[in-house]
């Protein structure tokens, strides 16, 4: 996020505090829908600024958010997007790359943390109920990280789950989630982490080893590229 985008975001955040709960729900709905389309962060904040002013003016007149935004917030967002200049193909590609980098780094960090104890201690005879052959028995090596079949399967499961959850959050933007939905969300993440540990145990076959410094440098470089794109794409 660039300095001008951050300043506008902070201004919008303070202005939204004076809005009613109903107006903030409408604002959150529109904001999440806008973040799902290939426009810059600065454009999103300029649209949010206009929406906040419209909602504030509506409240001053005693009108509701739907009186000024309409019954269908999705249609309102579509009309706003049609008025914005279309981004070039290269810009849309960079926006997609930024989202992919963020998702990749998050999934990689979580996967590495989950499998780090296993990598540090190695696979022992009492680590798994299965009698592992010597060819797949892992030896503790703090300087290298062992990439196994189970690690890749777990990483892929996490990547898919996080992508699906991000799409679901956009599709349900603005709708207040019930307590049971929040508990289900937590339960699904817990089951996913358990599944990642499980596939690591069931598929311990080593594919290759990479020095831990290389892992950290690659992740830092990818995260740096993400932050660079995040700062410039506005």
């Amino acid at each position: 996020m660039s300095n001008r985008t951050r300043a506008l975001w902070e201004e919008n955040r303070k202005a939204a505090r004076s809005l009613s709960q109903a107006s903030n729900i409408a604002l959150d709905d529109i904001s999440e829908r806008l973040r799902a389309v290939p426009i810059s962060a600065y454009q999103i904040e300029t649209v949010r600024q206009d929406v906040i002013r419209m909602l504030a003016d509506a409240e001053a007149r005693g009108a509701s958010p739907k009186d000024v935004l309409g019954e269908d917030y999705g249609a309102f967002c579509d009309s706003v997007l049609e008025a914005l200049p279309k981004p070039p193909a290269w810009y849309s590609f960079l926006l997609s790359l930024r989202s992919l980098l963020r998702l990749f780094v998050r999934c990689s960090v979580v996967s590495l943390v989950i499998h780090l104890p296993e990598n540090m201690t190695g696979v022992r005879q009492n680590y798994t109920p299965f009698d592992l052959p010597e060819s797949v028995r892992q030896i503790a090596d703090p300087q290298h990280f062992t990439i196994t079949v189970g690690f890749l399967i777990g990483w892929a499961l996490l990547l898919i789950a996080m992508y699906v959850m991000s799409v679901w959050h956009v599709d349900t933007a603005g709708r207040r989630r019930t307590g049971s939905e929040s508990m289900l969300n937590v339960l699904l993440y817990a089951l996913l982490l358990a599944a990642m540990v499980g596939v690591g145990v069931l598929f311990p076959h080593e594919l290759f080893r990479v020095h831990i410094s290389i892992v950290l440098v690659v992740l830092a470089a990818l995260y740096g590229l993400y932050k660079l794109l995040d700062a410039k794409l506005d």
Side-chain angles (χ1 to χ4, degrees):
M1 186 181 295
S2 66
N3 291 334
R4 69 168 185 169
T5 303
R6 190 180 303 278
L8 185 55
W9 174 83
E10 183 65 26
E11 179 183 335
N12 289 337
R13 186 178 68 87
K14 292 179 180 178
R17 291 177 179 175
S18 61
L19 297 177
S20 66
Q21 184 180 18
S23 294
N24 270 291
I25 290 176
L27 178 63
D28 290 342
D29 186 329
I30 293 172
S31 299
E32 290 195 45
R33 292 176 188 272
L34 291 175
R35 293 187 183 104
V37 296
I39 61 176
S40 70
Y42 187 75
Q43 284 180 309
I44 292 175
E45 293 305 321
T46 56
V47 173
R48 292 180 72 247
Q49 185 181 52
D50 291 338
V51 172
I52 291 173
R53 289 172 178 170
M54 293 172 63
L55 293 172
D57 292 341
E59 289 185 5
R61 300 192 307 268
S64 68
K66 291 185 178 181
D67 291 333
V68 292
L69 303 178
E71 293 287 338
D72 187 353
Y73 295 155
F76 173 82
C77 290
D78 291 339
S79 64
V80 170
L81 293 173
E82 289 178 0
L84 295 176
K86 301 297 182 183
W90 64 266
Y91 188 84
S92 299
F93 169 76
L94 290 179
L95 285 175
S96 300
L97 178 61
R98 180 185 64 179
S99 300
L100 181 62
L101 286 172
R102 179 175 56 188
L103 196 60
F104 182 90
V105 171
R106 286 181 178 178
C107 292
S108 298
V109 170
V110 172
S111 298
L112 289 172
V113 170
I114 289 177
H115 291 276
L116 189 60
E118 167 193 339
N119 187 80
M120 296 291 289
T121 60
V123 176
R124 307 300 184 186
Q125 185 65 33
N126 59 353
Y127 182 80
T128 172
F130 300 95
D131 187 15
L132 298 177
E134 191 66 30
S135 59
V136 300
R137 196 179 302 279
Q138 188 176 319
I139 301 174
D141 184 3
Q143 294 184 346
H144 292 78
F145 197 92
T146 303
I147 305 299
T148 65
V149 174
F151 175 88
L152 292 182
I153 294 176
W155 182 87
L157 288 175
L158 181 62
L159 183 67
I160 294 172
M162 292 187 69
Y163 174 77
V164 171
M165 290 299 296
S166 65
V167 172
W168 178 74
H169 280 298
V170 171
D171 291 341
T172 59
R175 181 174 66 81
R176 188 173 300 179
R177 298 176 177 87
T178 63
S180 58
E181 286 179 324
S182 299
M183 288 297 297
L184 179 61
N185 203 14
V186 174
L187 179 60
L188 288 176
Y189 274 116
L191 291 175
L192 177 61
L193 295 179
M196 293 176 66
V197 175
V199 295
V201 173
L202 293 175
F203 302 98
H205 300 76
E206 178 181 327
L207 297 177
F208 58 90
R209 292 188 181 189
V210 58
H211 200 278
I212 192 65
S213 61
I214 296 178
V215 174
L216 297 177
V217 168
V218 170
L219 287 178
L222 293 177
Y223 182 74
L225 179 58
Y226 159 72
K227 295 298 292 185
L228 177 63
L229 291 175
D230 193 45
K232 297 299 182 181
L233 294 178
D234 68 352

